[in-house]
Amino acid sequence: EEYEVEYKILKSVLEGGVQGKPDNVLVYATSNRRHLVKEVWDDRDGADIHGQDAVHEKMSLADRFGLTVTFTTPSQEEYLTIVRELARREQLTLNDEEMEAAALRWEMSHSGRSGRIARQFIAHLAGDITEA
């Protein structure tokens, strides 16, 4: 959030700053956002003479971690492959055609195709089967 400036301290810790980083400390950060710190248009349009400095300061936190993992939206066939594999792991014995049609309806009524949506679908199926 705009009022939270603790990320500046975290950046310093990650790079070593004045104090050295202990050998027994490893920091991992995950986020559903590409940029860990929220950026707003006011950062670009504000009265700051060096406005780009503010933008770069916020964006640079993610650079400290050195690795960005992006999960792209799977194709329909990849999504259905994920669904089939998860169903196999859950030992669900369903007709592939019916399950795939249901999986496609599920992804359309939820947040689209992803591994997480496939997992939720299989958990839903497993719950329906165990309740029956």
Side-chain angles (χ1 to χ4, degrees):
E1 298 298 330
E2 189 62 32
Y3 60 86
E4 295 175 319
V5 294
E6 290 83 1
Y7 72 91
K8 294 178 183 181
I9 297 167
L10 179 58
K11 283 182 359 184
S12 178
V13 168
L14 291 173
E15 288 190 336
V18 176
Q19 297 176 319
K21 183 173 58 171
D23 291 335
N24 63 344
V25 173
L26 182 60
V27 178
Y28 289 98
T30 62
S31 174
N32 287 336
R33 297 176 56 105
R34 178 171 176 236
H35 304 292
L36 300 175
V37 179
K38 184 177 176 181
E39 179 186 10
V40 295
W41 286 110
D42 287 345
D43 289 339
R44 297 172 187 254
D45 299 333
D48 190 345
I49 294 173
H50 303 288
Q52 284 300 317
D53 288 352
V55 172
H56 291 292
E57 180 181 26
K58 287 184 174 185
M59 305 291 274
S60 68
L61 177 60
D63 294 338
R64 279 15 183 223
F65 293 97
L67 177 64
T68 300
V69 178
T70 303
F71 294 97
T72 58
T73 301
S75 69
Q76 180 172 305
E77 187 51 43
E78 290 168 330
Y79 170 71
L80 292 175
T81 299
I82 295 167
V83 167
R84 287 189 297 268
E85 176 60 22
L86 292 173
R88 185 191 65 75
R89 289 181 186 185
E90 288 292 325
Q91 300 177 346
L92 300 179
T93 53
L94 302 169
N95 176 309
D96 275 355
E97 285 182 20
E98 291 175 13
M99 182 177 62
E100 290 173 5
L104 293 175
R105 285 191 304 274
W106 181 273
E107 62 98 358
M108 287 192 313
S109 65
H110 290 75
S111 302
R113 288 189 303 262
S114 72
R116 183 181 75 237
I117 294 300
R119 181 76 207 120
Q120 291 169 352
F121 170 68
I122 293 300
H124 173 75
L125 277 184
D128 280 355
I129 290 171
T130 56
E131 290 176 7

